[in-house]
Amino acid sequence: MAKAKPQENEYEDIPGTFVFNAERSRQGYGINMFCMSLMKDQNRKAFKANEAEYLKKYPLTPEQTDAILKRDYNRMLELGGNIYFTAKLGATDGHPFQHLAAVMTGSTQQDYANLMLRGGRPVEGNRSRSGKYAKAGSSIVKDKPKAKAKAKPKGKKRG
């Protein structure tokens, strides 16, 4: 049976974003089960003792194994990893989540912290890969027509 082509979703047009949907969940089952195993101390110790051997316990593609061993968190997310699960790998390595976010955005931990304190990335240039949502102030979610204001019911004046 041939594998179905992934369904295109509007949110796939957002640059640098891998939305954890049902398809990615299925794709990343092995990554996520591996990461969840790191909740137990004996598993963390076994993984750190021989990472490549430990990963053989899980149904991982070669690309997923490579991403884990290289600590390529963006690639892990692209290949179906869930950010909350992959953070357990970072914690196993002794890194706080802020460090992982900095690595994933190509910055230092301090630069990432400063970026967040300033309100995050600017919207301009970060709306879509295709340019479909290139205008500043546009929204990924299509605008809904505004509802007409309801007229106030007229009542008898008191006087």
Side-chain angles (χ1 to χ4, degrees), residues 98-99 101-102 105 107-122:
Q98 188 174 353
H99 169 83
T105 58
S107 63
T108 67
Q109 192 170 330
Q110 188 58 55
D111 287 345
Y112 179 78
N114 292 340
L115 175 70
M116 291 297 102
L117 289 171
R118 289 191 311 269
R121 295 184 306 171

Side-chain angles (χ1 to χ4, degrees), residues 145-151:
K146 292 182 181 178
K148 292 181 182 177
K150 293 182 181 179

